[in-house]
Amino acid sequence: MACFLPLLANDTPNDVQHALERIGPLIITPNAAHDDALINVREYWIFCAETSTPAPDTSTVIKYMDDGAQKVIVTSVLATKLAQQGVPPTRLVLLLDVTGGMALSDKLRSLASGVLLKTQGIEKETISSVKKFFPGAEIYVFPENVDNAVQTIRELSQTGSKL
């Protein structure tokens, strides 16, 4: 698995998009999922946070996967609904926003194959706790504030997480 997952804006130039897709899967928004330029992308995940407008429902998210998305990044509420409809954990990545605190229940452990932590910065203790709570899951970190990219990548690699 790649150590870097690029989150693409809707207006990302094609040459940048093609270069980034060599690194690993691209993360795109639901709006970008309808972009004709993505038809030739090998692997992409869709960021389906319920904070999106409009909030995606389970049938919409399943359609994204049917249309080619390898995985979807969803909140725990949406992941629970998708699991109830038979979506396998290998297709789901949980979005956990730890900027305002979080409460995790045991039923979340089996819902997804990965976790995307949205954080203020690199919080090694939080990352370590999440890794212990989700044994075997891939941990991705989406820091809101990155002062030094090289240092951030080093810190994440020390925790065994991905950016």
Side-chain angles (χ1 to χ4, degrees):
M1 180 52 71
C3 64
F4 175 74
L5 294 173
L7 175 61
L8 294 187
N10 290 349
D11 58 351
T12 302
N14 284 343
D15 56 340
V16 173
Q17 175 183 310
H18 292 303
L20 289 173
E21 96 176 276
R22 292 181 189 149
I23 296 172
L26 303 177
I27 299 177
I28 62 172
T29 63
N31 293 340
H34 304 293
D35 189 345
D36 291 337
L38 287 172
I39 291 173
N40 296 322
V41 172
R42 286 180 304 158
E43 187 176 356
Y44 64 95
W45 300 1
I46 298 187
F47 189 86
C48 294
E50 289 178 341
T51 57
S52 307
T53 306
D57 60 8
T58 55
S59 61
T60 302
V61 174
I62 290 170
K63 181 170 179 2
Y64 292 145
M65 290 185 283
D66 289 344
D67 289 346
Q70 283 70 30
K71 295 186 183 208
V72 290
I73 301 168
V74 295
T75 62
S76 58
V77 172
L78 192 52
T80 301
K81 291 176 185 177
L82 290 164
Q84 290 170 348
Q85 292 194 5
V87 175
T90 56
R91 305 289 302 272
L92 301 176
V93 174
L94 285 176
L95 172 65
L96 297 179
D97 187 347
V98 297
T99 57
M102 64 180 171
L104 299 174
S105 69
D106 283 336
K107 71 178 184 173
L108 290 178
R109 291 178 202 242
S110 62
L111 289 181
S113 60
V115 177
L116 176 64
L117 289 173
K118 186 176 178 187
T119 64
Q120 287 291 328
I122 304 304
E123 303 166 8
K124 291 182 182 180
E125 291 175 14
T126 302
I127 294 168
S128 178
S129 296
V130 170
K131 283 182 68 91
K132 288 177 186 172
F133 190 82
F134 293 96
E138 293 285 335
I139 306 295
Y140 308 96
V141 181
F142 179 34
E144 290 182 355
N145 301 315
V146 176
D147 295 329
N148 182 334
V150 173
Q151 180 181 350
T152 299
I153 293 169
R154 284 184 184 137
E155 289 178 11
L156 284 176
S157 66
Q158 290 172 357
T159 67
S161 304
K162 297 161 180 58
L163 182 61

